[in-house]
Amino acid sequence: MAAPAAEGLAVTALRSVIHRVRQAAERSGRRADDVRVVAVSKTKPISLITQVYEAGHRCFGENYVQEIIQKAPELPEDIEWHYIGHLQSNKAKQLLTAVPNLAMVHGVDNKKLANYLDRAVSSIGRQPLKVLVQVNTSGEESKSGVDPSNCIELAKHVKLDCPNLEFSGLMTIGQPDYTSTPENFKTLLNCRTEVCKVLGMAESRCELSMGMSSDFELAIEMGSTNVRIGSTIFGPREYPKRQ
């Protein structure tokens, strides 16, 4: 009997998040429309995603290829799917083939992956795919992403050498405890300035994907255009128990 209540809670939580996003955008002199809320539904059932969809939300994110390729075909085609985090090169074509409504990949962190995605888009014949270059702004070895000193080179490769990809900006995961000293967000802002200078791109055209459940308001105040909200909307992750 608990499931319907939990599903109702997700919609209430989404509305609260949208309200907080609007307030954070206004505090930084921006419009709420400038910030995309990616509802990260990893480990969550299709029924729960459907509830949030029926409340009017269209932008969802997943972290695992196996999960998104199972869910996407079962859900409406007008969902804008975002793949977030590390993607293995050999899974690129499988992902694009199974999810024709994949809107963006947050997390291209090497040239090999960019090349695989570029070829996959070409062979499938779909629209160019928007990608964000993932930058490791915290220096933690456990996190994927290029070193900030290499982000220009990778962004240039995507923009100039991958005709089927659209370089759309930068992404970072950062550190969950970085609330009062947001150095990782500042690092991403600095990377954007450098990248845009080299590519001759307006900074307003270069998206920033930074901020999650614990720090999205701060990220928006610092200029984020994509916040990735999972547990605040959907509740704690539910990983299958190992036998």
Side-chain angles (χ1 to χ4, degrees), residues 109 133-137 139 144-152 187 191:
D109 58 2
V133 164
Q134 183 172 353
V135 183
N136 184 339
T137 57
S144 301
V146 292
D147 187 85
S149 62
N150 297 326
C151 73
I152 292 175
T187 299
C191 287

Side-chain angles (χ1 to χ4, degrees), residues 7-242:
E7 288 167 354
L9 288 174
V11 173
T12 307
L14 171 74
R15 295 208 172 99
S16 168
V17 164
I18 302 283
H19 178 66
R20 288 166 65 189
V21 165
R22 186 177 298 117
Q23 289 182 316
E26 285 169 2
R27 281 197 296 275
S28 55
R30 299 161 68 208
R31 297 177 313 138
D33 292 351
D34 295 339
V35 183
R36 181 186 291 117
V37 175
V38 183
V40 183
S41 47
K42 71 174 177 185
T43 80
K44 298 299 174 184
I46 285 170
S47 58
L48 198 51
I49 300 169
T50 301
Q51 291 273 334
V52 174
Y53 173 88
E54 286 175 351
H57 200 67
R58 292 292 177 272
C59 184
F60 293 86
E62 289 285 344
N63 296 75
Y64 303 113
V65 172
Q66 213 45 49
E67 206 172 337
I68 192 172
I69 66 176
Q70 286 170 352
K71 288 177 178 176
E74 302 282 320
L75 286 156
E77 289 175 9
D78 65 336
I79 283 181
E80 180 186 301
W81 286 106
H82 290 240
Y83 185 84
I84 297 161
H86 184 65
L87 174 63
Q88 292 170 292
S89 302
N90 61 359
K91 299 270 180 74
K93 190 167 184 182
Q94 183 188 16
L95 173 64
L96 287 170
T97 305
V99 190
N101 47 336
L102 183 70
M104 187 181 277
V105 170
H106 300 229
V108 171
D109 58 2
N110 61 74
K111 288 183 180 179
K112 181 183 173 189
L113 174 57
N115 294 340
Y116 270 67
L117 283 168
D118 185 58
R119 286 201 293 271
V121 172
S122 174
S123 71
I124 292 165
R126 58 156 279 164
Q127 292 288 311
L129 176 70
K130 292 182 176 183
V131 301
L132 303 178
V133 164
Q134 183 172 353
V135 183
N136 184 339
T137 57
S138 63
E140 290 178 85
E141 286 183 17
S142 62
K143 296 228 166 86
S144 301
V146 292
D147 187 85
S149 62
N150 297 326
C151 73
I152 292 175
E153 191 190 342
L154 183 54
K156 225 161 124 179
H157 177 74
V158 171
K159 189 161 176 69
L160 304 177
D161 300 330
C162 300
N164 302 291
L165 302 182
E166 186 182 326
F167 170 72
S168 298
L170 305 171
M171 174 264 201
T172 193
I173 291 176
Q175 292 182 11
D177 57 350
Y178 260 38
T179 43
S180 55
T181 55
E183 292 305 317
N184 49 344
F185 295 161
K186 282 185 191 148
T187 299
L188 201 68
L189 287 164
N190 293 340
C191 287
R192 177 171 69 175
T193 302
E194 297 297 319
V195 164
C196 288
K197 205 186 294 176
V198 170
L199 296 180
M201 217 176 154
E203 288 196 21
S204 60
R205 305 282 303 156
C206 185
E207 296 202 38
L208 294 178
S209 172
M210 60 187 197
M212 300 190 282
S213 286
S214 61
D215 55 14
F216 70 89
E217 286 151 309
L218 179 69
I220 291 167
E221 287 172 31
M222 293 189 68
S224 180
T225 60
N226 291 267
V227 289
R228 310 178 304 266
I229 315 292
S231 54
T232 299
I233 295 173
F234 292 107
R237 304 269 176 253
E238 293 156 19
Y239 294 103
K241 290 185 174 61
R242 286 189 177 155

